[in-house]
Amino acid sequence: MTLRDETWNTALEQVVRTGKFKLTDLPFNESEIHTCRRVLREMESYSWLERDSPHAAIWRAGPKAEMLMNLSEEKLRLARE
């Protein structure tokens, strides 16, 4: 699996587990962060993830993830707080 694939998979799993995350919450080392950040921004462009602003550090489930993944209402509410 490529780093891009691992990032995509890990980000979606993290959204399911916690509802929101920071890049530093993901299990990647410093040399991989640049690629991970690019993947997260690409996921944002496809509506899988969203942030409050382009420079916000916290990522949440985007509209597509909310629609297609079985995310609990409580987790979605907590992620918005």
Side-chain angles (χ1 to χ4, degrees):
M1 187 179 308
T2 68
L3 176 57
R4 293 181 62 81
D5 296 338
E6 287 183 51
T7 302
W8 193 283
N9 184 63
T10 302
L12 291 178
E13 287 178 349
Q14 188 73 19
V15 164
V16 170
R17 272 195 307 277
T18 63
K20 62 184 176 183
F21 65 91
K22 292 182 180 181
L23 181 58
T24 55
D25 295 335
L26 302 180
F28 298 105
N29 62 49
E30 188 65 34
S31 66
E32 299 168 322
I33 294 298
H34 181 71
T35 298
C36 293
R37 187 176 292 114
R38 282 195 333 245
V39 172
L40 296 179
R41 286 193 304 253
E42 191 70 15
M43 292 176 75
E44 184 178 30
S45 75
Y46 281 96
S47 298
W48 284 102
L49 296 175
E50 67 181 9
R51 299 180 281 175
D52 291 336
S53 74
H55 299 291
I58 297 174
W59 298 86
R60 295 176 181 82
K64 188 178 283 186
E66 290 180 13
M67 180 177 63
L68 298 174
M69 298 171 69
N70 190 21
L71 302 175
S72 73
E73 290 297 322
E74 180 181 349
K75 225 172 243 171
L76 291 171
R77 182 183 55 76
L78 291 173
R80 303 262 182 265
E81 294 178 348

